[in-house]
Amino acid sequence: MKKISLLGATGSIGLQTLDVIKKHPEAFSLFAMAFGQNINKALPIIKEFHPEVVVVGNDTIKQQLQSQFPRLEVISGNKGLEEISTAPEVDVVVNAVMGSIGLQATLKAIEHHKQVALANKETLVTAGHLVMEKAKEHGVELLPVDSEHSAIFQCLNGENKKQLSKLILTASGGSFRDKTREDLIGVTREDALKHPNWNMGAKITIDSATMMNKGLEVIEAHWLFDVPYDQIDVMMHKESVIHSMVEFADNSVIAQLGTPDMRVPIQYALNYPDRLELSGAKRLDLMEIGKLHFAELDQERFPCLKMAYEAGKEGGTMTTVLNAANEAAVQLFLQDRIAFLQIEELIQKTLDAHQSIKWPDLQTILEVDRQTRSQVLSYID
Ligand code: NDP
Ligand code: MG
C-alpha cells in the first residue's frame, strides 16, 4: 500500500489522481492533500478519502476548514506543502499544483527520497538544473505525469539513452490551432478556454492556446531526459493519440499511443514500474479513428514556442523569467485585463529586458521569479 501526498487535489490532475486512488484501494491511499482556495471542491474529497493532513492556501480557508473538521490537522501556506512532501509516512508525492509555487515542495520531496510524480512542469522550467542535480544527488528518479513526458519515459524503457537521436513531442494545437494570427485579434477568454481534446485547468488551457505549453514541455523534456534542444522536435498532431515519440540511432521510432486520458500517465507514475488495469477507461480503437494527422508547427505562427527554445538555449535564469512572465501574463488575460496577443508581447518584452544569470541558486531563482511578476504588472499599469 502506497501512501500518497497530493498537492493540488482540487485541480484537474488532482481530481483524476483521486479517481485512480479510488479505483485501486488495495494499492493506494491518500495520506495528505493540499489545495489553494476551492473549499467547495475540497470538502467532498476530505469526507470521502479521510486524509490525515490537509494543507490550504491561506489562514482564512484554514479557519473555515478547521471549524468543519475540528480534529483534522490543517496547515496553511508553503511550509505546509513542504511538510506533507517530507512526512515520514508518505511514499509518493504527486505534485499537481499550478505554477512555480510547487518548486520548493519538489526539492524537499527529493531530499527525503520520496517517489515524485511530477505534473507541475513549471518546477522544471523555472529551476531544472537544481531539481535534476538534487534528484541525482539523492538517487531519486522523477516520474513524469505530463502525457508527452510519460510517453517518452515509456519509450525509453530498457533502451540505451546514448543511442537516442531525437525526441518528438506531439502537440494537439490547442483551442486556436486552425486560426491565423489575424484571427487571434479579439479572441476572448471563453474562446481560449475551449480545448478540443483535453479538459484541464485554466492556466494550462491558455498555455495550450498560445503554444507556450509546448514550449514549457520542450524545456521540461530537456531536463528530464538530458537531451539538447536541437534534438527535441515538436509536431502538430491534432488527434492526441500518439502522446510522443523517440527516434533512435538506427532510425527506428518508438511511440506511445492511447486515448487522451490523463489517468493513464498518472497511474503509471503512481505505480511505476508496474502497470495496473484502468477500469472504465476508453480503449484505443484505431479503426474507429481511421486517420491520424501530422503537420509542422510554425514558430512564426506560434512565437511562444520560439521564445521557449531561445530561452532554453540561453539557459540560467532566462527560463525562470520565461515561466514567471508567462504565469503573470496568463493571469492578467484570465482576469480580462489584457488581450490574448498581449500575452506573448509581455513575455517577449520581459525576456528582452533580462540578462541571464548562469547556474542560479534557489534564492536567486525565487528573487528573479518575484521581480519578473512585478515587472510584467508594471508594463500594463
Ligand atoms: P488546476 O488549475 O486545475 O489545479 C491547480 C491546483 O493547485 C488546484 O488544486 C489549486 O487549488 C492548487 N493550488 C493553487 N495554488 C495553491 C497553493 N498556493 N497551495 C496549494 N495548492 C494550490 O491545474 P491542473 O490540474 O490543470 O494543472 C496542474 C499542473 O499540472 C500544472 O503545472 C499543469 O501544467 C500540469 N499539467 C496538467 C495537465 C492537465 O491535464 N490538467 C496535463 C499535464 C500537466 P484551488 O483550485 O483549490 O485554489
Ligand atoms: Mg502535456
Side-chain angles (χ1 to χ4, degrees):
M1 170 73 83
K2 285 181 174 175
K3 289 193 176 180
I4 296 172
S5 265
L6 176 56
L7 318 188
T10 53
S12 156
I13 294 288
L15 293 171
Q16 295 179 85
T17 304
L18 291 165
D19 194 43
V20 169
I21 295 174
K22 196 155 82 179
K23 284 188 191 303
H24 300 286
E26 72 302 340
F28 310 121
S29 73
L30 185 71
F31 172 76
M33 62 181 255
F35 70 99
Q37 318 265 350
N38 201 333
I39 195 157
N40 291 335
K41 272 195 190 163
L43 289 177
I45 302 173
I46 297 169
K47 284 179 189 152
E48 183 175 354
F49 291 88
H50 309 290
E52 289 180 34
V53 190
V54 176
V55 173
V56 299
N58 61 52
D59 287 337
T60 317
I61 305 283
K62 176 178 166 170
Q63 278 162 12
Q64 286 173 22
L65 197 61
Q66 201 78 78
S67 67
Q68 300 217 30
F69 301 94
R71 280 187 297 184
L72 179 67
E73 187 181 347
V74 184
I75 317 173
S76 87
N78 281 0
K79 82 172 189 323
L81 291 178
E82 289 180 27
E83 210 156 300
I84 63 169
S85 303
T86 57
E89 294 88 342
V90 173
D91 302 298
V92 188
V93 175
V94 179
N95 192 339
V97 297
M98 189 282 286
S100 62
I101 188 158
L103 174 61
Q104 279 145 295
T106 303
L107 293 172
K108 289 284 176 193
I110 295 171
E111 276 171 22
H112 285 75
H113 297 97
K114 302 300 182 191
Q115 181 178 336
V116 181
L118 192 63
N120 179 240
K121 63 189 82 179
E122 293 89 351
T123 291
L124 284 171
V125 176
T126 205
H129 67 292
L130 292 185
V131 175
M132 296 319 290
E133 229 172 65
K134 200 153 276 262
K136 200 167 170 191
E137 181 189 337
H138 294 276
V140 170
E141 187 165 32
L142 293 175
L143 301 167
V145 167
D146 211 346
S147 57
E148 295 77 1
H149 305 75
S150 176
I152 293 169
F153 189 71
Q154 293 178 55
C155 295
L156 289 173
N157 257 345
E159 296 291 341
N160 181 347
K161 274 200 205 162
K162 291 198 182 100
Q163 291 151 13
L164 168 167
S165 66
K166 70 179 175 191
L167 305 180
I168 305 159
L169 300 182
T170 52
S172 70
S175 23
F176 298 147
R177 67 179 166 215
D178 301 321
K179 290 196 187 303
T180 63
R181 287 193 63 76
E182 288 67 44
D183 294 339
L184 295 176
I185 301 166
V187 291
T188 65
R189 188 181 110 103
E190 284 63 39
D191 299 330
L193 285 173
K194 280 183 215 137
H195 195 286
N197 302 3
W198 302 93
N199 187 4
M200 312 182 284
K203 190 256 181 185
I204 184 175
T205 306
I206 304 301
D207 286 347
S208 301
T210 61
M211 208 50 75
M212 183 57 95
N213 184 50
K214 212 46 57 183
L216 301 178
E217 290 183 356
V218 166
I219 300 170
E220 183 185 9
H222 165 78
W223 288 114
L224 275 176
F225 306 111
D226 192 20
V227 173
Y229 287 98
D230 54 12
Q231 284 169 255
I232 306 175
D233 284 358
V234 291
M235 184 194 276
M236 185 92 94
H237 164 49
K238 66 180 181 186
E239 290 85 4
S240 299
V241 163
I242 297 184
H243 297 310
S244 278
M245 316 181 229
V246 180
E247 186 194 84
F248 293 90
D250 59 357
N251 297 344
S252 185
V253 177
I254 300 186
Q256 188 259 347
L257 288 73
T259 52
D261 184 339
M262 284 308 296
R263 292 173 306 173
V264 176
I266 292 170
Q267 180 172 287
Y268 188 72
L270 290 185
N271 207 51
Y272 177 77
D274 291 315
R275 293 182 189 269
L276 291 168
E277 240 182 80
L278 188 60
S279 60
K282 188 170 166 26
R283 283 171 189 271
L284 178 64
D285 184 344
L286 285 174
M287 278 179 295
E288 183 190 322
I289 295 166
K291 279 185 183 165
L292 297 177
H293 296 82
F294 306 95
E296 191 188 342
L297 252 179
D298 176 2
Q299 297 202 5
E300 301 305 319
R301 161 66 182 83
F302 296 107
C304 286
L305 183 61
K306 191 171 175 184
M307 286 180 223
Y309 268 105
E310 284 170 0
K313 285 179 186 166
E314 174 72 35
T317 47
M318 208 48 111
T319 57
T320 310
V321 170
L322 177 88
N323 179 66
N326 180 55
E327 283 191 36
V330 171
Q331 195 180 10
L332 289 169
F333 175 70
L334 287 171
Q335 294 165 342
D336 281 327
R337 292 171 67 188
I338 60 170
F340 183 74
L341 286 174
Q342 276 179 286
I343 299 174
E344 62 189 43
E345 280 167 29
L346 285 171
I347 302 167
Q348 187 68 66
K349 193 166 170 182
T350 318
L351 286 169
D352 289 344
H354 184 68
Q355 194 78 44
S356 181
I357 304 164
K358 295 288 167 202
W359 308 108
D361 59 12
L362 182 60
Q363 282 322 312
T364 308
I365 284 172
L366 298 177
E367 184 53 24
V368 169
D369 180 285
R370 195 191 58 73
Q371 280 171 4
T372 303
R373 287 166 201 264
S374 51
Q375 191 176 352
V376 170
L377 285 178
S378 77
Y379 287 145
I380 65 146
D381 281 343

